[in-house]
Amino acid sequence: QVQLVESGGGLVQAGGSLRLSCAASGFTFTLYTMGWYRQAPGKQRELVAASNSGGITNYADSVKGRFTISRDNAKNTVNLQMNSLKPEDTAVYYCYVEKGRGSWGQGTQVTVSS
């Protein structure tokens, strides 16, 4: 079955960087769009960035120029490099695969202090 395991979250000061990774298994990684979503307390889950099977990416306006999504098809991983972090980036970040009705990882907490 599909498994997505995130890692790399933590506490960082504003202006700092973090790199999230998602290890995927249970499906043919190269065929599917992978994405990162986030959910802050009291807010709806929102798309942060996505990468389709052809490597085309899209980003939320709020993270353009600061975050970069990348996928390593040899290792079945998708990464999110987050630079110039802001307190409003604080959220639980989830890995997602657009397969069937979609599958989610368990989430990893990112906290940005001011």
Side-chain angles (χ1 to χ4, degrees):
Q1 72 276 20
V2 173
Q3 276 199 316
L4 302 171
V5 180
E6 301 100 334
S7 61
L11 173 64
V12 65
Q13 287 190 331
S17 298
L18 281 174
R19 183 177 177 85
L20 305 183
S21 291
C22 173
S25 61
F27 62 99
T28 305
F29 183 79
T30 54
L31 296 181
Y32 297 97
T33 293
M34 300 295 299
W36 286 95
Y37 284 71
R38 67 186 181 188
Q39 188 166 20
K43 294 190 176 182
Q44 287 191 327
R45 195 172 294 190
E46 63 175 0
L47 175 68
V48 175
S51 173
N52 71 7
S53 58
I56 296 174
T57 58
N58 66 286
Y59 296 90
D61 287 344
S62 59
V63 307
K64 282 180 182 175
R66 300 188 298 122
F67 291 11
T68 303
I69 188 171
S70 61
R71 55 193 300 162
D72 185 335
N73 289 334
K75 295 182 179 180
N76 286 6
T77 59
V78 59
N79 304 305
L80 185 68
Q81 179 66 42
M82 305 186 294
N83 299 328
S84 301
L85 282 160
K86 304 175 181 180
E88 51 263 44
D89 295 318
T90 295
V92 178
Y93 284 70
Y94 297 90
C95 182
Y96 175 80
V97 58
E98 203 171 279
K99 181 182 186 294
R101 289 186 286 183
S103 294
W104 300 91
Q106 82 284 357
T108 186
Q109 177 70 46
V110 171
T111 303
V112 184
S113 63
S114 56

